[in-house]
Amino acid sequence: MSNLTDLTLAQMRDGLRAKSFSARELAEAHVAAVEAARPLNAFLVETPEHALAAADAADAALAKGEAKPLAGIPLGIKDLFCTQGVQTTAASKILEGFVPQYESTVTAKLFADGAGMLGKLNLDQFAMGSSNETSAYGNVISPWRGEGGAQLVPGGSSGGSSSAVAARLCAGATGTDTGGSIRQPAAFTGIAGIKPTYGRCSRWGIVAFASSLDQAGPMARDVRDCAILLKSMSGFDPKDTTSLQVDVPDYEAALTGSLKGKRIGIPKEYRLDGMPAEIEALWRQGEAWAKDAGAEIVEVSLPHTHYALPTYYIVAPAEASSNLARYDGVRYGLRVAPEGGSLIDMYEATRAAGFGAEVKRRIMIGTYVLSAGYYDAYYLKAQKVRALIARDFEQAWQSCDLLLTPTAPSAAFAFGAKSDDPIAMYLNDVFTVPSSLAGLPAMSVPAGLDAGGLPLGLQIIGKPLDEAGVLNAGYALERAANFTAKPERWW
Ligand code: GLN
């Protein structure tokens, strides 16, 4: 049954219950797909034994008619989530060989619901990047190809996740999103992904990048699968002080596809000069689809949008420089100790050898903006602007329930196209960082193809804790778009 890997997660779940195939068969098909797809470099570690053990447990439970929500579903796990007994590197040399003794809350919840793990997915180093070119373990290649067969980036930082899901190596994967790292790679590869409200998913056991922004979320081929995974991943966790103590709704049940009574805001500041006409056209098409589903379209203003990128690229590096101070060669990961050197020499040599160039850039920016004399001018100012950006959204909610925007200003690009120019790379995040700074739920759904046949995504942003509304709007757009394109297999 070679097409088991083409099923969505919901189809797998239903097929397992109907005994159309066993969890063992499902896991074996995915393990084989992962092995055959090594040229994509999506996985850093393969854990077939984990996926097969979960499958056998699922088959036993299914036989007794007591299967859990994700029984026998093989998933990919971004290598930013600590997994007990399985190497976790954040795609950095500085954590090479680090084997956590504990499980992150999110992965523990997925496994408790019956899912298995196919392996740990490659990413931009410490989740810093938009193209997966900053991994210490090589670029992840998108299963999509550009003109003349050119290799393309899968987006970032969750590029292993997007590549694996789009290439049918797993029906779903975990991602994390600090400034767009679930949504942008989802858009680049023609899949769906949601960043929930800050605090909805526990950050415990996720390697920290920028703690006030980091959120976990699911990436999958459609909205329903995201809804199913998000339900399992979410919930209060006393081990994360920013975790929200609120009930988790049944997101799948919220997928009606009707937007009757919903006002969808179009933020006028997201209309960028020089944005490709195809993206503008898709956005207009999205409005029409939303209208067809019963929504009313209203224009809204988010006046501080323009400041979101510079604000993000102060706040995120500042928090990163603090979070990454712990990698010093003492407790875990790499240690480089020059002979006869001091403790400081060891710190310096370890960090110089262990961190990649982009990580070093962020640490330097972060240290600079937090330093005495510059703190007020940069960090404090950025925090104030962040509050204004959040207020823009609060004001927008007076006149609308959801916002519709493009996910990214372009389709996937070629390797090297932006990697020498950090500013060009950071511009990728222009539509995703404002909602990150405001802590709002936001998702990308595959909505169309550009002239070169590459996927483009639309983004829906919602009010705090309205993941159900975001998912339902995503569902309506997804149905209207009827996106069926998939990458042709070349690996
Ligand atoms: N591309 C953004 C960055 O490099 C976002 C990364 C993320 O969300 N983890 O910071």
Side-chain angles (χ1 to χ4, degrees):
M1 258 197 266
S2 61
N3 59 356
L4 284 179
T5 55
D6 268 326
L7 301 178
T8 64
L9 195 148
Q11 289 168 335
M12 291 176 191
R13 175 191 64 187
D14 299 346
L16 285 169
R17 278 161 181 69
K19 309 262 184 317
S20 310
F21 43 81
S22 68
R24 181 90 197 179
E25 286 170 310
L26 191 64
E28 281 172 352
H30 283 88
V31 166
V34 168
E35 279 175 16
R38 286 185 189 144
L40 300 176
N41 200 28
F43 282 89
L44 294 174
V45 177
E46 293 172 17
T47 55
E49 64 295 340
H50 191 290
L52 293 171
D56 291 343
D59 280 331
L62 283 157
K64 289 193 245 154
E66 40 184 59
K68 298 181 204 138
L70 298 175
I73 305 290
L75 300 176
I77 303 296
K78 185 177 184 179
D79 200 28
L80 206 61
F81 292 79
C82 286
T83 41
Q84 188 172 15
V86 178
Q87 179 180 264
T88 301
T89 63
S92 181
K93 287 282 177 210
I94 211 156
L95 275 173
E96 194 161 82
F98 170 56
V99 178
Q101 318 227 331
Y102 54 88
E103 193 68 48
S104 83
T105 298
V106 163
T107 46
K109 279 173 168 289
L110 289 168
F111 301 155
D113 272 353
M117 171 170 67
L118 288 160
K120 302 297 294 288
L121 291 159
N122 203 347
L123 65 150
D124 275 302
Q125 193 164 154
F126 282 103
M128 298 173 187
S130 306
S131 62
N132 228 294
E133 291 169 287
T134 73
S135 166
Y137 304 99
N139 298 338
V140 176
I141 321 277
S142 172
W144 295 85
R145 293 205 287 182
E147 237 166 90
Q151 291 195 333
L152 299 174
V153 304
S157 66
S158 309
S161 307
S162 65
S163 181
V165 171
R168 272 79 183 147
L169 313 186
C170 48
T174 61
T176 63
D177 190 311
T178 303
S181 277
I182 287 176
R183 293 161 283 163
Q184 183 257 22
F188 275 19
T189 55
I191 66 168
I194 179 165
K195 176 197 92 74
T197 310
Y198 181 77
R200 183 62 105 173
C201 289
S202 169
R203 288 183 296 109
W204 195 79
I206 301 175
V207 176
F209 165 9
S211 306
S212 76
L213 296 157
D214 297 343
Q215 256 305 284
M219 300 168 76
R221 284 198 292 275
D222 67 17
V223 174
R224 179 176 302 280
D225 288 0
C226 285
I228 295 168
L229 286 170
L230 184 60
K231 167 97 180 139
S232 284
M233 294 167 71
S234 300
F236 175 64
D237 178 10
K239 292 197 287 245
D240 172 359
T241 53
T242 57
S243 171
L244 296 171
Q245 198 156 9
V246 287
D247 288 343
V248 179
D250 182 344
Y251 297 122
E252 193 182 5
L255 304 179
T256 62
S258 166
L259 297 179
K260 230 177 234 124
K262 294 284 176 202
R263 293 159 307 166
I264 302 222
I266 306 295
K268 61 172 192 241
E269 291 79 6
Y270 281 51
R271 236 167 243 139
L272 297 184
D273 284 345
M275 188 161 77
E278 295 167 301
I279 293 194
E280 174 73 31
L282 185 68
W283 193 8
R284 296 287 83 77
Q285 177 66 70
E287 274 179 35
W289 286 331
K291 237 192 240 171
D292 290 346
E296 181 196 338
I297 305 294
V298 294
E299 185 171 272
V300 297
S301 174
L302 300 169
H304 297 89
T305 297
H306 185 60
Y307 301 108
L309 266 183
T311 302
Y312 173 83
Y313 277 98
I314 289 174
V315 173
E319 295 184 15
S321 73
S322 164
N323 273 325
L324 271 57
R326 74 189 70 173
Y327 305 105
D328 55 9
V330 175
R331 283 190 61 183
Y332 33 53
L334 182 76
R335 173 179 301 170
V336 183
E339 267 213 43
S342 66
L343 183 65
I344 303 284
D345 293 334
M346 183 191 82
Y347 291 163
E348 288 178 355
T350 300
R351 290 167 70 82
F355 289 135
E358 180 62 25
V359 176
K360 287 178 186 162
R361 179 179 296 125
R362 308 268 181 131
I363 292 173
M364 286 190 276
I365 296 171
T367 309
Y368 180 79
V369 301
L370 288 175
S371 58
Y374 294 103
Y375 184 91
D376 288 358
Y378 290 101
Y379 187 67
L380 204 63
K381 184 65 123 306
Q383 292 291 34
K384 287 179 182 167
V385 179
R386 181 177 185 177
L388 293 175
I389 290 166
R391 197 189 298 163
D392 281 355
F393 283 104
E394 277 159 33
Q395 274 160 2
W397 302 135
Q398 314 275 314
S399 52
C400 67
D401 305 293
L402 297 155
L403 293 160
L404 174 69
T405 80
T407 307
S410 75
F413 43 87
F415 291 95
K418 296 175 200 273
S419 48
D420 292 337
D421 182 353
I423 304 282
M425 191 67 88
Y426 298 169
L427 281 172
N428 256 283
D429 309 328
V430 61
F431 299 134
T432 49
V433 293
S435 41
S436 291
L437 289 164
L440 300 171
M443 93 172 296
S444 180
V445 289
L449 298 172
D450 75 357
L454 296 178
L456 298 172
L458 285 173
Q459 173 177 236
I460 299 118
I461 304 170
K463 297 177 188 172
L465 294 174
D466 189 23
E467 287 82 7
V470 170
L471 287 159
N472 187 42
Y475 184 63
L477 294 179
E478 173 184 82
R479 286 214 297 199
N482 190 26
F483 185 93
T484 52
K486 61 179 214 178
E488 217 172 287
R489 188 166 160 181
W490 52 266
W491 55 91

